[in-house]
Amino acid sequence: MRYPIIEHHGGQDGVTGSCHQLVMNALASLLIDCGLFQGDDASIPSGEGGSRLPIDFALDTIKALVVTHVHIDHVGRIPYLLAAGFQGPILCSEASAKLLPIVLEDAFKLSFSRDQQQVERYIDRVESSLVALPYQHWFTLVDTEELNARIRLQRAGHILGSAYVEIDLHYPQTGESKRVVFSGDLGAPHAPFLMPPKAPEYADILVLESTYGDRLHEDRQSRRQRLEAVIEHALQDQGTVLIPAFSIGRTQELLYELEDIIHTKLNPPPAVVGASSLANTANSENPNLPSEESANPAQLPLPLGERAGVRGNETTQNEITPESARVRGTNTNPQPAPETNWPQLPIILDSPLASRFTEAYRALKPFWNQEARERVRAGRRPLAFEQLLTVDSHSDHQRIVNHLTQTARPAIVIAGGGMCSGGRIVNYLKAMLGDKRHNVIFVGHQAKGTPGHAIQTYGPKGGYVDLDGERFDIRAGITSIGGYSAHADQKGLVEFVTGMQQWPTEIRVVHGEQMAKEALAAQLRSRYEQQGSFGPLIIVGGEA
């Protein structure tokens, strides 16, 4: 048998569930990611119509699991992998090693048990298995007479800690060598916190994601301005703006850009003031504000004089009541919409998991890009600014939902549940989708079969969505902002290939809808032909 062989246990026929096995020889293989299926992908039967959750492949030759990044569609089946008997090391980047236990603790609670002792034993097992690898560092995986195998992680620019994987294989008995690259999820340029990915030097075999293989992103450099404009427009309805967001990556990017919007609305300090003085001035004016390192946004005062645990139906003079709120388009004597007072606008982060990740992001400043680090040196707090409120307990969450529903008070809520299939965003949607004063803004991919996709698709048409088995009419405004995808678009994916000094002779296009995979494959074939190369094997969906 000729090695290496690549087997796909998820991610080849959709955009979730990524799990690939590199069979290096008869005795050794490597598992790259072990993700959860979501949306329509979860409904595709495995084997003889069974669930897609159990691990249905042999583990005896797997020497290690490599995690490209900690999104649930790349790591969500790890609890099942461990339950199936996997005892090897889990290799990942240094930043991912800090984030992965948080993700897997949540996944374990959702899938197995909330018993604290069981959770702690499980997390101890995970942490004892982790091997944190610096970027650009070769790690020897196998060194025998039959096989030498080593791996290296490189920045992927998708979320903090994300990596693509280079695997060098050498077979001493035949003298043959191969380099195999797994892209994981590649990021796009101009993302907050992150440095963009650089193409590898070469690859013989490339396993390439294709989430946005059939489209180009809107200009990412102006996306902050678009976010500001969309929120300004939405707030003219004098209601709440709901932003469903994934707990890790997207939430922190949104906070980063909302802080920048607020910063530009305030009078900038004199240019001659040094960064340390700025920080001291900020804290002297707000003596109760914690520093960036120790900030607990849950303790920050709620703008307009209230705290995160709001008081039932009470209102302040700055709040809008249902009776006084005007629905845009129904007022016979329209008045100019009040200008948004950004420095006094509550930014509510309602997701305990996202709050934990945001705290972890703050602790991972050494992995931020230069722009983000410079903001901190200038005395700014991109992830712990004054207007940011966090909601932890379920009771406070329910009070916030009730308060905003009843008062239609202008606010921005970032709630966990990026595709609206779970998380606290669902309670907001149930309460507010039927009210025209409120708006939902999508800033990320909504997989087919998820409530988020249904809202995004049918909301502008006055349709409905099913949430927890109940039907809700959609009257709230629905908007999607381009340029916020954490994935590379077609141009970025093609450049990842063509940026190599030696282009791959085999490309497996995975992790995308069928149209996206086929469009990317066609574009790659065209680029090879332009270079006079007609022989690359391009496999769509991992199947020859």
Side-chain angles (χ1 to χ4, degrees), residues 21-45:
Q21 186 173 0
L22 178 66
V23 181
M24 299 178 287
N25 67 9
L27 301 176
S29 65
L30 183 66
L31 199 63
I32 295 88
D33 289 335
C34 194
L36 196 66
F37 296 97
Q38 297 172 293
D40 282 354
D41 293 348
S43 65
I44 301 173

Side-chain angles (χ1 to χ4, degrees), residues 30-180:
L30 183 66
L31 199 63
I32 295 88
D33 289 335
C34 194
L36 196 66
F37 296 97
Q38 297 172 293
D40 282 354
D41 293 348
S43 65
I44 301 173
S46 174
E48 297 299 322
S51 167
R52 304 194 84 180
L53 283 175
I55 303 301
D56 57 0
F57 49 90
L59 307 179
D60 54 323
T61 67
I62 299 176
K63 298 301 182 183
L65 166 67
V66 182
V67 169
T68 62
H69 66 286
V70 302
H71 273 155
I72 200 71
D73 62 323
H74 288 256
V75 301
R77 274 190 289 166
I78 290 179
Y80 297 90
L81 183 70
L82 298 180
F86 176 73
Q87 296 182 345
I90 301 175
L91 312 179
C92 62
S93 72
E94 294 171 301
S96 289
K98 300 291 186 183
L99 299 170
L100 186 59
I102 303 174
V103 178
L104 294 184
E105 178 181 341
D106 187 65
F108 185 85
K109 289 178 179 178
L110 290 174
S111 303
F112 286 90
S113 172
R114 290 184 174 271
D115 179 84
Q116 192 57 36
Q117 289 186 339
Q118 291 187 40
V119 172
E120 289 177 2
R121 286 197 298 269
Y122 167 72
I123 293 303
D124 286 343
R125 180 181 175 187
V126 168
E127 291 180 336
S128 66
S129 300
L130 287 175
V131 177
L133 302 180
Y135 290 120
Q136 302 180 356
H137 172 78
W138 284 109
F139 176 84
T140 299
L141 188 66
V142 179
D143 189 7
T144 67
E145 293 181 356
E146 294 81 22
L147 173 67
N148 305 131
R150 60 177 189 163
I151 77 166
R152 179 169 67 177
L153 303 182
Q154 302 279 25
R155 295 180 186 273
H158 178 60
I159 63 170
L160 205 63
S162 60
Y164 65 83
V165 187
E166 296 178 295
I167 304 151
D168 271 1
L169 304 175
H170 178 64
Y171 300 90
Q173 293 177 346
T174 65
E176 186 178 15
S177 296
K178 290 282 186 182
R179 174 169 290 186
V180 186

